[in-house]
Amino acid sequence: MSAPRCPQCAQPCASPRLLPCLHSLCEPCLRRLGPPEGAPGAARPVLCPVCDAELSLPAGGVGQLPPDCLAGSRGRAAAGCDLCADGAAAGRCLTCGLRLCRFCCRAHRRQKKTASHAVTELENTKDCSQPGKPLLCPSHPTEELQLFCEQCDQPVCRDCVLGRHRQHPCDFAANVIHRHGDALRELLQSSQQRMDTLEDVLSQVDEMGVAVRSRAEAVATEICLFARGYVKAIEEHRDRLLKQLEDLKVQKENLLHLQKAQLQQLLLDMRTGVEFTEHLLMSGSDVEILVSKGLVSSRLTQLNSVAYSTHPSVDDRIHFSPHERAGQCCGYEVFGAILNKVVDPARCTLHGEGNGARQNQLSGFTLLCRDTAGERLGRGGEAVRVTIIHKDKRDCAVKPTVCDNGDGTYCISYSPEEPGLYAVCVCVKGQHVQGSPFTLMVKPKFREHQGVFHCCTFCSSGGQKAARCACGGTMPGGYQGCGHGHKGHPGCHHWSCCGQVKESSECLCAPPSDASQRSLLRTVAL
């Protein structure tokens, strides 16, 4: 039975140990791995030679990495007989720990030296792959690891329990394996579901790659049909457009290839972790599972926390406009251009947002979308999101209406129900545009105010500021002369008791008469 080989040196593994990425290397290779030893007590980063993952070795060195207890059984289809090496193992001697085929089992019971040994049948693959050799404590080499320290989360021996783990809660490995094994199985199930999602995303990426290539070919055909109408100039223009299309296709495919490579690497890492965990739970003994549990849980948790997009990173929006002016080509004005302008939220601008608003009145402003070059987009269809929230009343929000004009502009209208300061956010494709967010001041609404003035009480009083309106209010504020030149005339800008000026084209200081008494409708601010 050949011994497992180290993936770094390709030699039989000598004391293989597990890296945090769940790959196993022999101890000599681990000691040669990475840069020279750093400062005492500091973890030093290394790269795994198998998956290129950046890892940190423990501060205590390679010796602090857990041993790979299943390195010998991993990768074998089935365990063979340890005596004849010809048949498949069907039983195991509990006394000497050997795996035996059916013929050797019968011979083992008949031989005088081994007739008293207890030989049991192997019922499953896990029993078949177990080495049956006890794991010894690294601190006490003569003691077997039979207990588990809950506080330190590691297997221990009896001497450890009597020593530095005296006050720690400890129990036999057989008593705690069910709880820790179930936790690993739940994590394994979550990882398997994540692998299915990754495979679906990869399938979508492949499909999008086909769609991009198909769309590019369709546009190329359309360009060729259009170019046949012109002889030399149009043929040259066609070649230029095809090159531009090819560059665009390559750009999109490169982005898709990059996303695919990242997803494939994540899927490979997930598959490695899942296969290792499955093998550990199926083939490892209780102590072996507990030895590797910490690293396995950490690795699977790390992989499950990696963020990735569930959609392709680009779309297949490649359009050809045969009526778009394309400038001069060989002295001829040519038409036809590839439309691939992408809106740039950082270059989009707002217009009319600083005009303010009035309570219960319809107000609005305009959004102008531009591309990455700062040029105005001549089309609509962008994802525009507008939120208007009261700064003092978080539960008070205004629902705006966004109207797409189809020419790169969007009209945003709203009608606030409460006065005060509002925070307005305008986002395109989830990003703020220029000037967003901004503060909107909503003034109180107007109310109709009935004030009966005797040819303007303010004028008749000679401009006294203490004069009272017919409603009983005092008239604050100033006045301007109307140009009539009579003494004490305050002017034609008359102030109501509520502070709202009322302009009139005629002088209101005419001599009082019954006919001159008027009922003036004043619109004033609250």
Side-chain angles (χ1 to χ4, degrees), residues 239-255:
D239 296 337
R240 185 173 60 186
L241 290 175
L242 289 174
K243 183 180 183 305
Q244 181 183 353
L245 175 64
E246 181 66 19
D247 293 342
L248 180 60
K249 182 189 74 170
V250 170
Q251 178 185 2
K252 287 179 176 288
E253 287 183 333
N254 287 342
L255 292 175

Side-chain angles (χ1 to χ4, degrees), residues 63-226:
Q64 297 300 315
L65 290 172
D68 188 359
C69 306
L70 301 179
S73 62
R74 196 163 51 247
R76 290 199 302 267
C81 177
D82 289 340
L83 292 181
C84 66
D86 293 331
R92 181 168 68 245
C93 177
L94 299 181
T95 306
C96 56
L98 295 176
R99 288 185 295 267
L100 306 172
C101 64
R102 296 191 182 279
F103 177 80
C104 292
C105 283
R106 292 192 294 270
H108 207 66
R109 293 189 182 100
R110 290 196 300 267
Q111 291 180 3
K112 184 176 181 180
K113 292 183 178 180
T114 58
S116 61
H117 291 190
V119 178
T120 61
E121 296 290 332
L122 294 179
E123 297 178 355
N124 50 49
T125 306
K126 177 176 178 179
D127 293 333
C128 181
S129 61
Q130 282 182 341
K133 297 180 180 179
L135 294 180
L136 301 179
C137 176
S139 301
H140 308 94
T142 60
E143 293 293 330
E144 181 181 353
L145 294 172
Q146 295 179 333
L147 301 162
F148 185 77
C149 177
E150 296 286 355
Q151 181 172 332
C152 300
D153 197 32
Q154 66 179 32
V156 294
C157 68
R158 292 182 304 172
D159 291 349
C160 291
V161 173
L162 298 176
R164 56 192 180 94
H165 297 271
R166 178 185 297 274
Q167 302 298 328
H168 297 179
C170 297
D171 199 352
F172 285 100
N175 296 337
V176 300
I177 185 59
H178 301 290
R179 175 161 48 87
H180 292 283
D182 290 343
L184 273 182
R185 290 184 184 91
E186 292 179 2
L187 191 57
L188 174 63
Q189 183 179 7
S190 174
S191 301
Q192 291 170 333
Q193 294 174 354
R194 189 175 175 88
M195 286 178 59
D196 294 338
T197 304
L198 283 171
E199 291 174 347
D200 292 340
V201 175
L202 279 172
S203 176
Q204 294 180 30
V205 171
D206 290 334
E207 292 175 359
M208 183 55 66
V210 173
V212 168
R213 291 189 292 273
S214 175
R215 184 60 181 160
E217 293 172 359
V219 174
T221 302
E222 185 179 354
I223 292 173
C224 292
L225 292 175
F226 170 74

